[in-house]
Amino acid sequence: MATKKLLFLLLATLTCFNEVRGGLLSAISVACSCPKDDSLPKPCQEAITPPWPICLFHSTDYFLAKSIKGYNRCCNPDDLSECRCPRKDTTSFQKHIGEWCEKVSSCIQSEPAFEGDIETE
């Protein structure tokens, strides 16, 4: 399975690199773009979408579910015991987690009925 993902990543990288240089049709640029859901607020999309090319591996729904689960574990500054981030004790984490939590909370506010039942494992 890891080999397939690695090959996909390599192919996507080469294809998108060629597309950026103007060598392929514009339709391919869609395949090189991270998925988006226009029904979500922009700050939410920014927070849940991982960097390219990782964003190509799953849907927006998957990343939304993972982010809300992370929000539930990591956005209580008084208790980070459930937070699985290996860097949760670092200054960098403490500096950026507040902004990320605020953006993810906009996802929750825009999707009040969201249960987070999407398979993420």
Side-chain angles (χ1 to χ4, degrees), residues 8 10 15 23 31 35 46 49 54-55 62 70 76 79-80 85 90 96-100 107 116:
F8 174 76
L10 179 61
T15 301
E46 290 173 358
T49 306
I54 296 172
C55 64
Y62 173 88
N76 180 358
D79 180 19
L80 292 177
C85 180
T90 66
H96 294 98
I97 191 66
E99 180 182 351
W100 182 83
C107 302

Side-chain angles (χ1 to χ4, degrees), residues 5 11 24 32 42 44 105 109 114:
K5 284 188 176 184
L11 178 62
L24 297 177
C32 296
K42 186 176 179 177
C44 171
S105 73
Q109 293 168 2
F114 182 76

Side-chain angles (χ1 to χ4, degrees), residues 18-37:
N18 194 22
E19 186 272 332
V20 169
R21 295 179 63 214
L24 297 177
L25 299 173
S26 63
I28 292 178
S29 68
V30 172
C32 296
S33 301
C34 292
K36 292 185 179 182
D37 182 348

Side-chain angles (χ1 to χ4, degrees), residues 54-101:
I54 296 172
C55 64
L56 301 175
F57 292 125
H58 297 287
S59 68
T60 302
D61 289 338
Y62 173 88
F63 293 123
L64 177 61
K66 290 293 261 188
S67 295
I68 290 176
K69 286 180 181 182
Y71 176 89
N72 292 333
R73 290 190 307 265
C74 299
C75 289
N76 180 358
D78 298 328
D79 180 19
L80 292 177
S81 61
E82 295 293 316
C83 186
R84 292 192 228 161
C85 180
R87 303 189 71 198
K88 67 183 176 186
D89 297 322
T90 66
T91 305
S92 178
F93 178 88
Q94 300 295 329
K95 182 179 176 183
H96 294 98
I97 191 66
E99 180 182 351
W100 182 83
C101 291

